[in-house]
Amino acid sequence: DIQMTQSPSSLSASVGDRVTITCRASQSISSYLNWYQQKPGTAPNLLIYAASTLQSGVPSRFSGSGSGTDFTLTISSLQPEDSATYYCQQSYIIPWTFGQGTKVEIK
Amino acid sequence: EVQVVESGGGLVQPGGSLRLSCAASGFTFSNYWMSWVRQGPGKGLEWVANIENGGAEKFYVDSVKGRFTISRDNAQNSLSLQMNSLRAEDTAIYYCARLFSRWYFDVWGRGTQVTVSS
């Protein structure tokens, strides 16, 4: 199985900060990498698919990059409503796997 | 409005069975692959199963193979997950999700809680 490792596991940042979350795959997954945001008590929400394509309706402060084994989710200017847990997920090989999550808190 | 709504969760004893359902609306159900994803208490997300839009191809995570069966009824716009031989580690919120282009989950339900305990 492909292991997805996110870093950091949690972070605390101020409103307006630039935030970067990293996701590393245990083998190459080309660009089959998706990012989801999950707020407490709610279902996940798709942010980025195919490593860098912004899902319709998602604010442009979110962006994704990378290919192969190393990927990044960036929030260019953190907003209060961005407090959530973020997950990466590979859809390259069955079984599809998720990272362990990165919890983002607002200072 | 595009949506999927899960039902059928509950409390079941170890070794028991449960059938989850997912009702889809607002889109042409038969055009999409569908999935189940679960989340254990305080844990991350785990992909469980996929089914192709016609229902012939099915894929499962190893931990549920031989115990869970994903199926669909395109005439009724519904997805199901039959869960047998349930274990404590199957305790989770189970989400129904639509697959866009077969590769990513673009529509999620609110989830249904499954608790396996004596």
Side-chain angles (χ1 to χ4, degrees):
Chain A
D1 299 0
I2 297 177
Q3 307 303 315
M4 306 300 293
T5 304
Q6 291 181 231
S7 61
S9 296
S10 65
L11 66 90
S12 181
S14 300
V15 172
D17 282 354
R18 183 180 183 89
V19 169
T20 298
I21 299 169
T22 297
C23 178
R24 175 164 289 176
S26 59
Q27 66 184 76
S28 177
I29 58 170
S30 185
S31 295
Y32 290 88
L33 190 283
N34 311 307
W35 289 97
Y36 302 87
Q37 175 195 64
Q38 187 179 34
K39 297 182 180 180
T42 70
N45 181 52
L46 177 68
L47 297 176
I48 302 283
Y49 62 91
S52 61
T53 304
L54 192 69
Q55 171 69 345
S56 175
V58 174
S60 59
R61 63 181 179 273
F62 291 93
S63 64
S65 65
S67 66
T69 60
D70 294 313
F71 302 87
T72 299
L73 174 70
T74 299
I75 309 173
S76 60
S77 178
L78 191 67
Q79 299 302 303
E81 60 268 31
D82 299 336
S83 178
T85 300
Y86 294 83
Y87 294 93
C88 62
Q89 176 251 330
Q90 66 83 16
S91 54
Y92 184 67
I93 290 179
I94 294 283
W96 291 357
T97 46
F98 290 85
Q100 82 278 15
T102 295
K103 187 173 184 178
V104 174
E105 296 180 330
I106 309 297
K107 282 183 184 175
Chain B
E1 180 190 3
V2 173
Q3 64 175 356
V4 293
V5 179
E6 304 92 339
S7 61
L11 174 64
V12 61
Q13 292 188 340
S17 299
L18 210 55
R19 186 177 183 89
L20 306 183
S21 296
C22 170
S25 59
F27 63 99
T28 304
F29 183 70
S30 59
N31 286 351
Y32 293 87
W33 287 54
M34 297 293 295
S35 296
W36 289 97
V37 177
R38 67 184 179 183
Q39 187 168 33
K43 296 185 177 180
L45 300 166
E46 180 183 35
W47 168 77
V48 174
N50 285 353
I51 186 167
E52 62 98 17
N53 51 317
E57 288 186 81
K58 305 175 184 181
F59 303 91
Y60 301 92
V61 67
D62 280 352
S63 60
V64 309
K65 279 182 185 175
R67 300 188 300 124
F68 290 11
T69 302
I70 189 172
S71 62
R72 64 190 296 158
D73 182 339
N74 286 343
Q76 297 294 322
N77 294 334
S78 69
L79 177 72
S80 296
L81 186 68
Q82 176 67 42
M83 305 186 295
N84 299 329
S85 303
L86 282 161
R87 307 166 180 167
E89 54 265 36
D90 296 317
T91 294
I93 297 172
Y94 284 73
Y95 295 102
C96 168
R98 187 180 81 169
L99 276 171
F100 193 86
S101 295
R102 295 179 52 183
W103 301 120
Y104 53 89
F105 310 112
D106 72 327
V107 177
W108 296 71
R110 292 187 175 184
T112 186
Q113 176 71 50
V114 171
T115 302
V116 184
S117 175
S118 56

